[in-house]
Amino acid sequence: VNSRENKLTPWYNDIKTDNRGEMLILSANGEYYDLVLGSEAVFSDNKAVYYGKTDHFNSVVSVSVSKTGFCKKISVQLEWLDNPCEAKICFYTEPVLGVSRNFTRMITAEEQDKALVFKNPCNSDVKGYMAISSSEEVSSTTDREAVLSGKWEETSKSSRYNLCGALITSKNFFKNKVFSVEFYISFGFTKESALKMPSLFNSELIENENSIKIETPDKSLNYMFNGWLEKQFINGRMFSRTGFYQNSGAYGFRDQLQDSCAALILNPEITKRQIFRACTVQFIEGDVLHWWHRLPQNIIRGVRTRYSDDLLWLPYTLCEYIQKTEDYSILKTSIA
């Protein structure tokens, strides 16, 4: 719904922290391994894949987001290379359901079949539920101190003031055998919808109306232009409005109009929609909201300013849209 006002797990504007609000931890033979930290990351159009390798196992962790709904899937494949043993894999999260973890003590947790469901009553703007679930039988806990200290056998079901969400699955590992498990983080405005999201997971790519491909002697340039730039300005800037450099969730009057111009030749509907969206936050005096959050219950929260570049980009984008599409009917549209 909003990558700032309704974070599901923490985000910190510091690359040194590595945002440890979500972890996959393997416990085997008295040792603990982070299955993502230090692995080789490979990114494609619709997922990130992390390849890990130790003397005891090879691991592949794939992370993807559903095309529709609110759900992220974390798939784990682990090939065991050592002697047979009993091992555990823990999917660890630090629930937020708001702007920050300042109100963690207010979050409530409820155990469901293969899942934990969380609610933050302090987030009155985005009321909903976060769920973490698994494809396998799991034990669950909210005891953050016990999980991070490795006392997985002693975890309690609740920890009011230092809450986490953790699902732990136990398996017998055999040499040269591959073990698989899937974990999910999902959100819904009702508890039932949050729990149902994983069953509706859709991994298809979002298709644009047009596509542009280049072929040059520079393979890195081809890769960046043919894949990354499109995903960056459409998925990152227009849809999620978030990145590791900035976790905003808000629309910027100038920012997203600029981005929509880049999207124009691929998907003019994105540009048209952003023009309409910008018109809704323009005042009768002509000035606008420099940035704004659009939240459920028709809540708009932003900052009214008179920056001249904001006022410039709406007619500029409109002219670009008409020139490229010849859709003059947009001029007859009334925006309240």
Side-chain angles (χ1 to χ4, degrees):
V1 177
N2 188 288
S3 59
R4 181 184 184 273
E5 302 297 293
N6 192 48
K7 297 184 188 74
L8 299 187
T9 55
W11 173 87
Y12 304 102
N13 191 18
D14 183 355
I15 59 174
K16 292 184 294 185
T17 66
D18 206 29
N19 288 309
R20 310 298 287 153
E22 297 177 28
M23 287 190 288
L24 278 169
I25 308 170
L26 169 68
S27 171
N29 293 328
E31 301 287 339
Y32 294 86
Y33 305 88
D34 187 316
L35 295 181
V36 173
L37 185 64
S39 59
E40 177 189 8
V42 177
F43 301 96
S44 61
D45 286 348
N46 62 344
K47 63 182 176 181
V49 183
Y50 301 89
Y51 296 92
K53 186 174 183 179
T54 73
D55 293 336
H56 307 291
F57 63 87
N58 297 323
S59 62
V60 180
V61 177
S62 301
V63 182
S64 54
V65 178
S66 180
K67 177 182 178 182
T68 54
F70 308 108
C71 189
K72 179 167 75 173
K73 178 169 69 173
I74 302 98
S75 302
V76 183
Q77 282 192 326
L78 195 144
E79 180 187 13
W80 190 247
L81 307 175
D82 212 335
N83 296 324
C85 74
E86 183 178 351
K88 299 178 185 291
I89 293 181
C90 173
F91 177 48
Y92 169 86
T93 65
E94 296 178 353
V96 177
L97 282 165
V99 176
S100 70
R101 278 179 56 84
N102 292 343
F103 298 98
T104 304
R105 66 186 183 279
M106 303 301 295
I107 295 177
T108 59
E110 181 179 341
E111 190 175 17
Q112 298 281 336
D113 180 37
K114 299 183 183 180
L116 276 173
V117 183
F118 301 90
K119 180 175 176 59
N120 182 0
C122 292
N123 189 351
S124 58
D125 290 336
V126 186
K127 299 177 181 178
Y129 297 81
M130 164 186 165
I132 59 172
S133 55
S134 175
S135 61
E136 300 289 317
E137 293 296 330
V138 291
S139 60
S140 60
T141 181
T142 59
D143 192 334
R144 181 171 181 265
E145 182 179 350
V147 172
L148 294 181
S149 61
K151 301 174 182 176
W152 294 1
E153 302 295 340
E154 305 170 25
T155 53
S156 64
K157 291 299 179 185
S158 63
S159 178
R160 184 173 179 82
Y161 296 104
N162 203 10
L163 176 140
C164 78
L167 302 179
I168 302 171
T169 181
S170 301
K171 287 292 179 180
N172 291 316
F173 284 176
F174 298 97
K175 191 170 184 178
N176 298 327
K177 296 295 183 181
V178 177
F179 166 75
S180 300
V181 61
E182 292 178 348
F183 297 102
Y184 299 88
I185 298 181
S186 53
F187 175 82
F189 290 109
T190 66
K191 185 191 310 179
E192 292 74 22
S193 63
L195 287 168
K196 191 173 183 179
M197 286 290 171
S199 66
L200 304 176
F201 192 91
N202 183 347
S203 60
E204 293 181 14
L205 291 171
I206 296 175
E207 296 293 338
N208 291 310
E209 184 177 321
N210 304 308
S211 64
I212 304 174
K213 303 296 179 185
I214 65 171
E215 186 175 347
T216 75
D218 189 333
K219 292 184 179 180
S220 296
L221 177 63
N222 298 342
Y223 188 71
M224 180 180 72
F225 187 95
N226 295 337
W228 280 108
L229 292 184
E230 174 189 327
K231 300 300 182 297
Q232 181 174 332
F233 67 73
I234 293 182
N235 296 356
R237 297 286 298 167
M238 295 300 302
F239 293 163
S240 60
R241 301 177 300 286
T242 189
F244 202 85
Y245 59 92
Q246 181 188 40
N247 188 265
S248 167
Y251 288 100
F253 196 93
R254 170 196 61 205
D255 295 27
Q256 267 68 45
L257 281 173
Q258 288 177 335
D259 296 327
S260 74
C261 286
L264 176 57
I265 204 163
L266 296 176
N267 193 338
E269 185 63 29
I270 290 177
T271 314
K272 185 178 184 179
R273 193 174 303 170
Q274 190 59 34
I275 291 170
F276 290 163
R277 191 177 284 122
C279 288
T280 65
V281 293
Q282 186 171 33
F283 296 92
I284 194 168
E285 294 83 359
D287 58 322
V288 303
L289 292 181
H290 183 58
W291 61 260
W292 72 96
H293 290 293
R294 181 171 288 277
L295 301 170
Q297 304 169 51
N298 204 29
I299 296 174
I300 296 179
R301 183 181 299 125
V303 173
R304 183 177 181 178
T305 67
R306 291 178 172 82
Y307 290 141
S308 59
D309 57 344
D310 284 339
L311 308 183
L312 207 90
W313 274 96
L314 181 55
Y316 179 90
T317 306
L318 177 62
C319 290
E320 281 284 295
Y321 174 81
I322 293 175
Q323 184 185 52
K324 298 294 193 303
T325 65
E326 298 184 351
D327 176 17
Y328 288 92
S329 65
I330 190 174
L331 298 174
K332 299 178 182 179
T333 305
S334 177
I335 304 293

